[in-house]
Amino acid sequence: MQRKTSFVKLFRALMPRHYGTIKPKSCSSNSSSTTSLHSHASSSSLAAYSELPPNVLSEWIETLENPFKLWQLRQISKEAAAQITSRFSHIKQMDVRRISFDNIVLDFDYESGEVEFEENVWYFHPAGHRVMARFPSATSVELVVDDHWSSKDVVALHESISMFRLSVEQIYLDAPVVELAVNSNDVHIAIERSTSTGGEIFFPCGREISIRTTETDSSHLARFFH
């Protein structure tokens, strides 16, 4: 990927080698684990980042391709948070799919959280849930979740979608994802909503929402667009 440079390899060599607690499907997972990205940010790792010179940290943030790690790094400082928020604000397109994770973990890199899938590099959710993400470009993000998702995977996916929901304008969702994106009676997926009915619009900048669905799934989708 173009944004990955020799700088990234050099930077990794300087950082602690333990990378969070990523546990893909084939690994055992602690049943008491939480889905929170904040909870799974390594304090030692964050401390090491915070000691970097501002210009080095800034360059690292600009070259880092792991969406989950970027979200965690907002905790380092106000400057880091502002830079990451600015970078995320440029994400205008989001695609969320359900896929089979059966063969994904074959080429998994535990140190970086990277995995090869569909001839691209993806990143696992750091809590070990069956959710992956990547940036296809500087203005788009893709998320995938295992089609045999658990309740914790659903929460992790909702959290991941929420990282980008305030800026995205074009949204592509598999039908089963729609319901978890609007899991509150006060949150609506409609692009526009009258002031008389109230409620929060889940994608406030959304101008095009496309749902991939089957005839069976379509029958219960209408209620989310009222």
Side-chain angles (χ1 to χ4, degrees):
M1 299 178 68
Q2 291 184 348
R3 293 179 63 87
K4 288 195 172 183
T5 65
S6 58
F7 169 82
V8 176
K9 295 181 180 179
L10 174 63
F11 193 94
R12 281 182 179 169
L14 299 174
M15 302 310 298
R17 296 188 65 79
H18 178 260
Y19 186 88
T21 55
I22 300 176
K23 298 176 183 176
K25 186 177 181 180
S26 63
C27 303
S28 61
S29 178
N30 189 326
S31 60
S32 63
S33 65
T34 173
T35 61
S36 172
L37 287 169
H38 291 296
S39 299
H40 287 269
S42 167
S43 58
S44 61
S45 177
L46 291 179
Y49 287 117
S50 65
E51 294 174 0
L52 291 170
N55 63 315
V56 176
L57 178 60
S58 178
E59 185 175 353
W60 172 239
I61 289 173
E62 285 302 312
T63 58
L64 187 62
E65 287 296 329
N66 186 332
F68 301 119
K69 191 65 175 180
L70 281 169
W71 189 256
Q72 292 177 332
L73 292 180
R74 298 178 312 140
Q75 302 175 64
I76 293 177
S77 65
K78 291 182 178 179
E79 292 75 19
Q83 184 177 356
I84 293 166
T85 297
S86 175
R87 182 171 169 185
F88 276 36
S89 71
H90 290 88
I91 303 299
K92 302 302 181 183
Q93 184 180 92
M94 178 167 63
D95 193 318
V96 187
R97 294 180 288 146
R98 289 182 75 186
I99 63 169
S100 172
F101 269 44
D102 290 346
N103 298 315
I104 288 181
V105 298
L106 296 178
D107 298 317
F108 185 73
D109 183 337
Y110 285 86
E111 291 182 5
S112 65
E114 296 180 2
V115 66
E116 291 284 340
F117 172 64
E118 296 181 340
E119 301 183 352
N120 291 297
V121 174
W122 293 74
Y123 300 88
F124 262 103
H125 190 285
H129 300 289
R130 289 169 288 186
V131 176
M132 299 193 305
R134 77 180 188 102
F135 293 123
S137 72
T139 60
S140 63
V141 65
E142 285 185 78
L143 298 167
V144 294
V145 62
D146 192 357
D147 55 9
H148 298 298
W149 59 20
S150 67
S151 59
K152 289 185 177 181
D153 297 330
V154 168
V155 174
L157 180 61
H158 184 274
E159 180 183 54
S160 303
I161 292 173
S162 296
M163 290 172 8
F164 306 100
R165 75 178 186 88
L166 298 180
S167 65
V168 290
E169 298 175 358
Q170 292 180 300
I171 304 101
Y172 304 90
L173 306 171
D174 279 0
V177 175
V178 175
E179 186 167 0
L180 73 91
V182 287
N183 60 357
S184 167
N185 290 332
D186 294 324
V187 179
H188 308 279
I189 201 171
I191 294 177
E192 295 181 357
R193 189 160 182 80
S194 67
T195 56
S196 60
T197 52
E200 179 185 2
I201 297 177
F202 190 75
F203 298 113
C205 293
R207 55 184 179 82
E208 178 184 331
I209 299 177
S210 299
I211 310 297
R212 291 180 293 260
T213 186
T214 63
E215 183 176 353
T216 301
D217 290 331
S218 298
S219 61
H220 70 274
L221 286 176
R223 67 190 181 91
F224 297 115
F225 297 89
H226 59 77

